[in-house]
Amino acid sequence: MSDEIPTTDNREPALVVTSMIDHVLDLAATWTTWDGRPVRADERVYTPHKAIRRVTDHLIDHLAEVEARLVGNPTIPDRWHASASTTPADLAPFTDQDLNEARSRLTRLSRIWADRLTALTPDQLDRSPGEGWTFRQIAFHLADSAYYADAVGDLSAVGSDR
């Protein structure tokens, strides 16, 4: 993922975020067959749990930023270890129950993001208060969170080489 200013286009920001979450959940639906081997991507390793954690953390981090900026509060610095850390929980099997938990969590975050972004005027999206990217740019940046799920990939073909 990059810290460069995100490129935007004419898509609705809410749809950009919700489409990314739908994509992540579509991939996650194939992860209950994961064989326990972490997947290498760009000098890091990813697992189903780590991908869900990273997407969720990224959504929460930027949601906190947007909400703070809207009310004129300072943002809370990001202290996540991000994808540099792989926890023991990240290495656990990804079960049907884990998939259900991920669906519940990410579906709720999708709704929150959709509600927040659609409530903003075009001017608020493009001339956002405070320091940092515009809220439209943040939405398009969040679309890059699909990277974590794409790193794990579609595991529906059990036994296929990675």
Side-chain angles (χ1 to χ4, degrees):
M1 299 216 354
S2 171
D3 287 330
E4 294 177 15
I5 295 174
T7 302
T8 63
D9 56 40
N10 63 352
R11 291 175 291 160
E12 289 295 323
L15 184 59
V16 170
V17 175
T18 59
S19 294
M20 178 276 296
I21 293 170
D22 290 344
H23 172 72
V24 168
L25 289 173
D26 286 346
L27 287 174
T30 73
W31 295 346
T32 58
T33 62
W34 181 56
D35 63 9
R37 292 183 296 155
V39 178
R40 288 206 154 279
D42 297 326
E43 299 181 23
R44 300 224 168 142
V45 296
Y46 295 93
T47 68
H49 283 290
K50 185 174 182 176
I52 295 296
R53 175 174 59 84
R54 287 304 308 131
V55 170
T56 302
D57 290 352
H58 202 207
L59 290 164
I60 290 168
D61 183 44
H62 284 294
L63 182 61
E65 175 189 0
V66 167
E67 294 301 321
R69 287 173 55 192
L70 279 169
V71 298
N73 285 338
T75 59
I76 299 170
D78 173 0
R79 302 230 191 277
W80 304 113
H81 293 288
S83 58
S85 116
T86 302
T87 71
D90 292 335
L91 299 170
F94 193 80
T95 66
D96 288 332
Q97 293 86 358
D98 295 312
L99 176 58
N100 289 336
E101 292 290 318
R103 279 188 183 131
S104 182
R105 185 175 301 114
L106 288 174
T107 299
R108 283 176 173 77
L109 280 168
S110 182
R111 179 81 260 157
I112 293 167
W113 270 103
D115 289 347
R116 167 44 67 213
L117 291 169
T118 57
L120 297 173
T121 66
D123 190 58
Q124 287 173 308
L125 287 167
D126 294 321
R127 296 187 229 300
S128 308
E131 297 292 319
W133 295 332
T134 68
F135 296 158
R136 183 182 308 276
Q137 290 169 330
I138 289 171
F140 279 75
H141 168 71
L142 286 170
D144 292 341
S145 294
Y147 170 86
Y148 304 115
D150 289 337
V152 176
D154 182 339
L155 303 181
S156 58
V158 177
S160 64
D161 288 335
R162 289 191 267 166

